[in-house]
PDB file of all heavy atoms in Angstrom:
ATOM      1  N   GLY A1456      77.762  74.590  94.263  1.00  0.00           N
ATOM      2  CA  GLY A1456      76.687  75.581  94.299  1.00  0.00           C
ATOM      3  C   GLY A1456      76.247  75.963  92.900  1.00  0.00           C
ATOM      4  O   GLY A1456      77.005  76.564  92.142  1.00  0.00           O
ATOM      5  N   GLY A1460      76.121  82.428  90.884  1.00  0.00           N
ATOM      6  CA  GLY A1460      77.556  82.384  90.611  1.00  0.00           C
ATOM      7  C   GLY A1460      77.993  81.050  90.035  1.00  0.00           C
ATOM      8  O   GLY A1460      78.643  80.986  88.985  1.00  0.00           O
ATOM      9  N   GLU A1482      75.519  70.405  93.312  1.00  0.00           N
ATOM     10  CA  GLU A1482      74.406  71.257  93.760  1.00  0.00           C
ATOM     11  C   GLU A1482      73.400  70.377  94.499  1.00  0.00           C
ATOM     12  O   GLU A1482      72.943  69.366  93.972  1.00  0.00           O
ATOM     13  CB  GLU A1482      73.748  71.944  92.558  1.00  0.00           C
ATOM     14  CG  GLU A1482      72.368  72.537  92.804  1.00  0.00           C
ATOM     15  CD  GLU A1482      72.303  73.559  93.947  1.00  0.00           C
ATOM     16  OE1 GLU A1482      73.122  74.481  93.980  1.00  0.00           O
ATOM     17  OE2 GLU A1482      71.420  73.395  94.824  1.00  0.00           O
ATOM     18  N   ALA A1483      73.052  70.807  95.717  1.00  0.00           N
ATOM     19  CA  ALA A1483      72.187  69.979  96.559  1.00  0.00           C
ATOM     20  C   ALA A1483      70.784  69.807  95.973  1.00  0.00           C
ATOM     21  O   ALA A1483      70.191  68.732  96.060  1.00  0.00           O
ATOM     22  CB  ALA A1483      72.110  70.606  97.945  1.00  0.00           C
ATOM     23  N   TYR A1487      66.318  74.971  91.132  1.00  0.00           N
ATOM     24  CA  TYR A1487      66.784  76.221  91.746  1.00  0.00           C
ATOM     25  C   TYR A1487      65.695  77.266  91.601  1.00  0.00           C
ATOM     26  O   TYR A1487      65.313  77.627  90.487  1.00  0.00           O
ATOM     27  CB  TYR A1487      68.056  76.672  91.033  1.00  0.00           C
ATOM     28  CG  TYR A1487      68.628  78.001  91.507  1.00  0.00           C
ATOM     29  CD1 TYR A1487      69.425  78.076  92.650  1.00  0.00           C
ATOM     30  CD2 TYR A1487      68.391  79.174  90.801  1.00  0.00           C
ATOM     31  CE1 TYR A1487      69.967  79.288  93.070  1.00  0.00           C
ATOM     32  CE2 TYR A1487      68.934  80.390  91.217  1.00  0.00           C
ATOM     33  CZ  TYR A1487      69.717  80.437  92.353  1.00  0.00           C
ATOM     34  OH  TYR A1487      70.254  81.628  92.768  1.00  0.00           O
ATOM     35  N   TRP A1525      75.189  67.052  98.577  1.00  0.00           N
ATOM     36  CA  TRP A1525      75.656  68.098  99.478  1.00  0.00           C
ATOM     37  C   TRP A1525      77.179  67.949  99.623  1.00  0.00           C
ATOM     38  O   TRP A1525      77.663  66.867  99.951  1.00  0.00           O
ATOM     39  CB  TRP A1525      74.980  67.958 100.845  1.00  0.00           C
ATOM     40  CG  TRP A1525      75.377  69.038 101.815  1.00  0.00           C
ATOM     41  CD1 TRP A1525      76.208  68.903 102.889  1.00  0.00           C
ATOM     42  CD2 TRP A1525      74.975  70.414 101.789  1.00  0.00           C
ATOM     43  NE1 TRP A1525      76.344  70.111 103.520  1.00  0.00           N
ATOM     44  CE2 TRP A1525      75.593  71.056 102.870  1.00  0.00           C
ATOM     45  CE3 TRP A1525      74.147  71.159 100.943  1.00  0.00           C
ATOM     46  CZ2 TRP A1525      75.425  72.419 103.141  1.00  0.00           C
ATOM     47  CZ3 TRP A1525      73.978  72.511 101.219  1.00  0.00           C
ATOM     48  CH2 TRP A1525      74.604  73.129 102.306  1.00  0.00           C
ATOM     49  N   ALA A1526      77.918  68.993  99.322  1.00  0.00           N
ATOM     50  CA  ALA A1526      79.379  68.968  99.508  1.00  0.00           C
ATOM     51  C   ALA A1526      79.674  69.284 100.964  1.00  0.00           C
ATOM     52  O   ALA A1526      79.254  70.326 101.473  1.00  0.00           O
ATOM     53  CB  ALA A1526      80.046  69.995  98.600  1.00  0.00           C
ATOM     54  N   SER A1552      80.534  78.669  95.232  1.00  0.00           N
ATOM     55  CA  SER A1552      79.526  79.736  95.186  1.00  0.00           C
ATOM     56  C   SER A1552      78.297  79.255  95.962  1.00  0.00           C
ATOM     57  O   SER A1552      77.215  79.040  95.408  1.00  0.00           O
ATOM     58  CB  SER A1552      79.169  80.073  93.734  1.00  0.00           C
ATOM     59  OG  SER A1552      78.462  81.282  93.681  1.00  0.00           O
ATOM     60  N   ARG A1609      72.775  89.605 101.775  1.00  0.00           N
ATOM     61  CA  ARG A1609      72.324  89.324 100.414  1.00  0.00           C
ATOM     62  C   ARG A1609      71.243  90.319 100.008  1.00  0.00           C
ATOM     63  O   ARG A1609      70.253  90.478 100.725  1.00  0.00           O
ATOM     64  CB  ARG A1609      71.784  87.889 100.414  1.00  0.00           C
ATOM     65  CG  ARG A1609      70.788  87.573  99.346  1.00  0.00           C
ATOM     66  CD  ARG A1609      70.366  86.112  99.382  1.00  0.00           C
ATOM     67  NE  ARG A1609      71.448  85.267  98.900  1.00  0.00           N
ATOM     68  CZ  ARG A1609      71.334  83.955  98.712  1.00  0.00           C
ATOM     69  NH1 ARG A1609      70.206  83.335  98.983  1.00  0.00           N
ATOM     70  NH2 ARG A1609      72.352  83.254  98.243  1.00  0.00           N
ATOM     71  N   ASP A1737      77.688  85.742  96.904  1.00  0.00           N
ATOM     72  CA  ASP A1737      77.424  86.236  98.255  1.00  0.00           C
ATOM     73  C   ASP A1737      78.501  85.821  99.254  1.00  0.00           C
ATOM     74  O   ASP A1737      78.764  86.538 100.219  1.00  0.00           O
ATOM     75  CB  ASP A1737      76.078  85.699  98.762  1.00  0.00           C
ATOM     76  CG  ASP A1737      74.902  86.246  97.969  1.00  0.00           C
ATOM     77  OD1 ASP A1737      75.107  87.138  97.122  1.00  0.00           O
ATOM     78  OD2 ASP A1737      73.773  85.764  98.204  1.00  0.00           O
ATOM     79  N   SER A1747      74.598  90.305  95.184  1.00  0.00           N
ATOM     80  CA  SER A1747      73.406  90.199  94.338  1.00  0.00           C
ATOM     81  C   SER A1747      73.628  89.112  93.303  1.00  0.00           C
ATOM     82  O   SER A1747      74.770  88.707  93.041  1.00  0.00           O
ATOM     83  CB  SER A1747      73.139  91.533  93.622  1.00  0.00           C
ATOM     84  OG  SER A1747      74.049  91.693  92.553  1.00  0.00           O
ATOM     85  N   GLY A1748      72.534  88.669  92.686  1.00  0.00           N
ATOM     86  CA  GLY A1748      72.635  87.669  91.626  1.00  0.00           C
ATOM     87  C   GLY A1748      73.375  88.231  90.430  1.00  0.00           C
ATOM     88  O   GLY A1748      74.177  87.529  89.800  1.00  0.00           O
ATOM     89  N   PHE A1749      73.124  89.488  90.113  1.00  0.00           N
ATOM     90  CA  PHE A1749      73.808  90.133  88.986  1.00  0.00           C
ATOM     91  C   PHE A1749      75.309  90.141  89.258  1.00  0.00           C
ATOM     92  O   PHE A1749      76.125  89.794  88.382  1.00  0.00           O
ATOM     93  CB  PHE A1749      73.255  91.563  88.820  1.00  0.00           C
ATOM     94  CG  PHE A1749      73.530  92.217  87.502  1.00  0.00           C
ATOM     95  CD1 PHE A1749      72.516  92.882  86.820  1.00  0.00           C
ATOM     96  CD2 PHE A1749      74.792  92.202  86.932  1.00  0.00           C
ATOM     97  CE1 PHE A1749      72.758  93.514  85.597  1.00  0.00           C
ATOM     98  CE2 PHE A1749      75.049  92.827  85.714  1.00  0.00           C
ATOM     99  CZ  PHE A1749      74.038  93.489  85.050  1.00  0.00           C
TER     100      PHE A1749
HETATM  101  C1  FAD B2802      64.249  88.467  98.396  1.00  0.00           C
HETATM  102  C2  FAD B2802      65.458  88.543  97.541  1.00  0.00           C
HETATM  103  C3  FAD B2802      65.423  89.270  96.364  1.00  0.00           C
HETATM  104  C4  FAD B2802      66.553  89.341  95.570  1.00  0.00           C
HETATM  105  N1  FAD B2802      66.495  90.080  94.411  1.00  0.00           N
HETATM  106  C5  FAD B2802      67.584  90.193  93.642  1.00  0.00           C
HETATM  107  C6  FAD B2802      67.524  90.947  92.440  1.00  0.00           C
HETATM  108  O1  FAD B2802      66.499  91.509  92.074  1.00  0.00           O
HETATM  109  N2  FAD B2802      68.648  91.033  91.692  1.00  0.00           N
HETATM  110  C7  FAD B2802      69.807  90.407  92.051  1.00  0.00           C
HETATM  111  O2  FAD B2802      70.791  90.515  91.321  1.00  0.00           O
HETATM  112  N3  FAD B2802      69.896  89.679  93.197  1.00  0.00           N
HETATM  113  C8  FAD B2802      68.822  89.560  93.993  1.00  0.00           C
HETATM  114  N4  FAD B2802      68.883  88.816  95.145  1.00  0.00           N
HETATM  115  C9  FAD B2802      70.189  88.275  95.595  1.00  0.00           C
HETATM  116  C10 FAD B2802      70.563  86.963  94.906  1.00  0.00           C
HETATM  117  O3  FAD B2802      69.542  86.000  95.071  1.00  0.00           O
HETATM  118  C11 FAD B2802      71.858  86.414  95.470  1.00  0.00           C
HETATM  119  O4  FAD B2802      72.782  87.453  95.627  1.00  0.00           O
HETATM  120  C12 FAD B2802      72.431  85.353  94.543  1.00  0.00           C
HETATM  121  O5  FAD B2802      71.561  84.264  94.462  1.00  0.00           O
HETATM  122  C13 FAD B2802      73.812  84.918  95.014  1.00  0.00           C
HETATM  123  O6  FAD B2802      74.312  83.911  94.185  1.00  0.00           O
HETATM  124  P1  FAD B2802      75.259  82.796  94.798  1.00  0.00           P
HETATM  125  O7  FAD B2802      75.747  81.969  93.665  1.00  0.00           O
HETATM  126  O8  FAD B2802      76.255  83.423  95.696  1.00  0.00           O
HETATM  127  O9  FAD B2802      74.309  81.949  95.762  1.00  0.00           O
HETATM  128  P2  FAD B2802      72.956  81.182  95.424  1.00  0.00           P
HETATM  129  O10 FAD B2802      72.328  81.726  94.209  1.00  0.00           O
HETATM  130  O11 FAD B2802      72.173  81.136  96.678  1.00  0.00           O
HETATM  131  O12 FAD B2802      73.404  79.715  95.069  1.00  0.00           O
HETATM  132  C14 FAD B2802      73.990  78.882  96.045  1.00  0.00           C
HETATM  133  C15 FAD B2802      73.666  77.436  95.675  1.00  0.00           C
HETATM  134  O13 FAD B2802      74.601  76.604  96.335  1.00  0.00           O
HETATM  135  C16 FAD B2802      73.939  75.453  96.807  1.00  0.00           C
HETATM  136  N5  FAD B2802      74.773  74.961  97.913  1.00  0.00           N
HETATM  137  C17 FAD B2802      75.193  75.659  98.990  1.00  0.00           C
HETATM  138  N6  FAD B2802      76.023  74.916  99.732  1.00  0.00           N
HETATM  139  C18 FAD B2802      76.122  73.715  99.116  1.00  0.00           C
HETATM  140  C19 FAD B2802      76.836  72.525  99.429  1.00  0.00           C
HETATM  141  N7  FAD B2802      77.631  72.446 100.503  1.00  0.00           N
HETATM  142  N8  FAD B2802      76.694  71.468  98.590  1.00  0.00           N
HETATM  143  C20 FAD B2802      75.894  71.541  97.488  1.00  0.00           C
HETATM  144  N9  FAD B2802      75.194  72.648  97.147  1.00  0.00           N
HETATM  145  C21 FAD B2802      75.333  73.727  97.958  1.00  0.00           C
HETATM  146  C22 FAD B2802      72.561  75.932  97.187  1.00  0.00           C
HETATM  147  O14 FAD B2802      71.624  74.873  97.150  1.00  0.00           O
HETATM  148  C23 FAD B2802      72.284  77.003  96.126  1.00  0.00           C
HETATM  149  O15 FAD B2802      71.585  76.476  95.020  1.00  0.00           O
HETATM  150  C24 FAD B2802      67.758  88.680  95.948  1.00  0.00           C
HETATM  151  C25 FAD B2802      67.783  87.945  97.128  1.00  0.00           C
HETATM  152  C26 FAD B2802      66.650  87.870  97.917  1.00  0.00           C
HETATM  153  C27 FAD B2802      66.703  87.065  99.179  1.00  0.00           C
END
Side-chain angles (χ1 to χ4, degrees):
E1482 164 57 50
Y1487 177 82
W1525 182 254
S1552 194
R1609 156 177 288 186
D1737 294 353
S1747 76
F1749 197 134

